[in-house]
Amino acid sequence: MQTERRVKTLRTRSSVLKLIGMVVIAVVAAPITCSQQLASKAQLAAQVRSEFLHAWHGYKQYAWGHDDLKPLSKSYHDWYAEPLLMTPVDALDTMILMGLNDEARSTREYIVKNLSFNKDFDVQNFEITIRLLGGLLSSYQMTGDKRLLNLAEDLGNRLLPVFASPTGLPYRYVNLKTGKVRGNVTNPAEAGTLLIEFGTLSKLTHRPIFYEKAKRALVEIYNRRSPIGLVGTWINVETGKWTDTDSHISGAIDSYYEYLLKCAILFDDQDCRRMWTDSIAAINQYLRDETKGRMKPELWYGHADMNTGQRTATNYGALDAFFPAVLALSGDLNRASLLQESSYKMWMKYGIEPEEINYQSMEVTAPGYPLRPEIVESTYYLYHYAVLGARTSRPHASKRLDPKHYQQMAEMMFRDFVKYCRADAGYAALKSVVTKEQADSMQSFLFAETFKYFYLLFAPPRTLDFDKVIFNTEAHPVSSTW
Ligand code: DMJ
């Protein structure tokens, strides 16, 4: 079935090319064939909402008050000695956007009454920042409920000790009660994916300290870039020395780049703008790659040594699939749309994307699918700019992108996602996209990101004004109307 569908898609694309002999960008606009009748946007939005509720009800029935649902054993998983309500906090703003008002109200009350950060255990600063701090701030901005901001400020205060290293780069873990830190080897993503959340907290509380500390961490990573402008994967926060010089856009580096651009926009921060401009030039020079593909050249981003720029690996995966969104937000719609086609090719190989492939051979190098959102996120960005291009003559939009193409891509992915990941009690990760065997895990980003981006692709435009918000890396939208 998957093979048939792939062949059909390729055949359609090939005939489109033969028929009209158009250039590469036209391929982007070629229709995706789908055996099923394309559903209306409204129907699809309703389906996404109802699948969100299916997963949410599973969480409520079997894991309420805990961090995550284990969907196959119908039990729960807590990250630390006591729960920090990862799933409710991550899910709240999505519920609000979906208009699930009663559910959102009772979840908000539950969070306010039960979430406490006065806990004597170590937490991972990056994960807690993007999921909890980001979630609380976004839901505060949507509801005006000051209690959420109070929780966010309390959390921000407890996380601040991470920055007390000799370099200003954050330690990875902090005890929420004692402020004791540990973990002196970190990566650009963990050190550099804090400024949207800490900066927003500063703006909302009028306490600059959060902005200053998180921005310094971002700058300290940038300052340690190699002479050719690349960063590595692991760095010691006490010595400032790289311990792994592998450079790429994948996990452990990914959202460092995302935040350079997004903080330039959200805070109108010209330092971030300059750091982004320098970084993207180096990325495009040393990490960008092209393969022949069957019918046309394909765009990928691979790995290189940060000092020499030599290609070290031709791997790309589900996490890298965030990059078309960032390219699109930066205005590079050409590369964004080409890379999205590559991500989609990766998805189509098994009807759902693996964690990683080798893009030269298209062999799977890591077969799992933990319900990741990045490819959906990029589809949403491209859809947005395609719609904008169809309606306006703004330079940051493109008349060459077809909104229907991205809508159909999203519909296809949503159907695959439901088909393989739906379980009795919620949604389950896949151990392998080849065998489709499910795993007993449902991470909270399913609610914060995967369902949110699917929903926004099909929901009425008034649901969220894309141009008035910046999504943090966990898809919590924040706006600069402090
Ligand atoms: C999320 O927690 C965030 O999107 C992060 O930046 C990367 N990993 C997951 C989703 O895949």
Side-chain angles (χ1 to χ4, degrees), residues 123-142:
V123 298
Q124 193 179 352
N125 178 51
F126 163 77
E127 293 290 357
I128 294 300
T129 297
I130 65 170
R131 298 184 198 221
L132 297 186
L133 193 53
L136 290 168
L137 290 169
S138 161
S139 290
Y140 164 67
Q141 286 195 314
M142 286 186 191

Side-chain angles (χ1 to χ4, degrees), residues 126-127 130-131 254-255 319 372-374 445 449 473-474:
F126 163 77
E127 293 290 357
I130 65 170
R131 298 184 198 221
D254 47 7
S255 45
L319 286 168
R372 290 209 190 280
E374 286 79 3
F445 56 67
E449 302 190 68
T473 196
E474 189 79 359

Side-chain angles (χ1 to χ4, degrees), residues 79 90 126-127 130-131 189 193 251-252 254-256 258-259 318-319 322 353 355 370-374 377 443-446 448-450 453 472-475:
W79 286 41
D90 245 357
F126 163 77
E127 293 290 357
I130 65 170
R131 298 184 198 221
T193 311
D254 47 7
S255 45
Y256 157 70
E258 178 185 346
Y259 273 36
L319 286 168
F322 83 106
E353 66 179 1
E355 185 70 349
L371 306 170
R372 290 209 190 280
E374 286 79 3
E377 169 186 8
Q443 285 223 45
S444 63
F445 56 67
L446 168 74
E449 302 190 68
T450 316
Y453 287 127
N472 86 336
T473 196
E474 189 79 359

